[in-house]
Amino acid sequence: MKIYTRRGDTGETALFGGGRTRKDDTRVEAYGTVDELNAAIGNASVHVAGAATRDRLELIQSDLFAIGAHLATPPPRAGRTAPALPELPAGRVAEMEDWIDEAMEAAPPLRNFILPAGSSSASGLHLARAVCRRAERRVVTLAAAEQVDPVIIRHLNRLSDYLFAAARLENLEGGHEDHEWKGRS
């Protein structure tokens, strides 16, 4: 099976449910950045020591595929029906809040901003968190122009918090201290 079609060679791509758009379209930017986030989480997860965190990251990666499918699907044009889409992971937001609380209770109290550093696994999670924030900004931009299910924005917002908390937990469990920002010297 060939994975190339050559149909994107002119700078356009197909949307789920029909139609084509430029590859720099706001919608493509949104789901493309969610795809980048998914890859960053996959990269971080291979370094994560905690089995529970690895399992959670795998769940989140599946969530991001569903989110990407929704973002890649514009409203159907007249006379067309909307394609079947995977269910959005609405319940995951509350689950992530529990995971965040669990991690933050285990870690020392925050007294300062934390630099995105520490162990390789924590650093990878911090990088994924930064990509998550960018994905969230791209989705918010899309939502200003077109209908986006608010579950998607809530999910990405909470996910960035979870990635921060998971990075702190990885540092703690790996015997690395968080690197606090000292401000001006």
Side-chain angles (χ1 to χ4, degrees), residues 18-30:
R20 296 186 64 75
T21 192
R22 291 174 45 96
K23 289 185 176 185
D24 62 353
D25 182 81
T26 306
R27 179 175 298 284
V28 179
E29 275 293 320

Side-chain angles (χ1 to χ4, degrees), residues 26-83:
T26 306
R27 179 175 298 284
V28 179
E29 275 293 320
Y31 72 73
T33 308
V34 167
D35 185 41
E36 183 182 351
L37 168 60
N38 205 337
I41 289 172
N43 185 57
S45 72
V46 300
H47 302 286
V48 167
T53 301
R54 265 194 322 278
D55 290 345
R56 291 168 179 174
L57 293 174
E58 189 173 321
L59 284 173
I60 289 165
Q61 285 189 283
S62 291
D63 294 347
L64 292 174
F65 263 98
I67 287 169
H70 281 261
L71 293 172
T73 308
R77 290 189 254 159
R80 295 189 99 158
T81 58

Side-chain angles (χ1 to χ4, degrees), residues 123-180:
S123 295
L125 290 166
H126 279 301
L127 180 59
R129 177 194 51 78
V131 175
C132 186
R133 287 291 188 199
R134 182 160 29 93
E136 182 183 10
R137 291 190 304 270
R138 297 297 180 264
V139 171
V140 166
T141 299
L142 176 62
E146 299 188 45
Q147 179 67 34
V148 171
D149 193 310
V151 165
I152 294 172
I153 296 170
R154 279 195 303 274
H155 188 285
L156 293 172
N157 186 39
R158 209 66 78 252
L159 175 55
S160 64
D161 294 335
Y162 171 66
L163 292 168
F164 175 81
R168 292 198 71 216
L169 189 61
E170 277 296 302
N171 274 338
L172 176 71
E173 291 177 348
H176 294 84
E177 289 187 21
D178 285 324
H179 293 240
E180 288 188 359

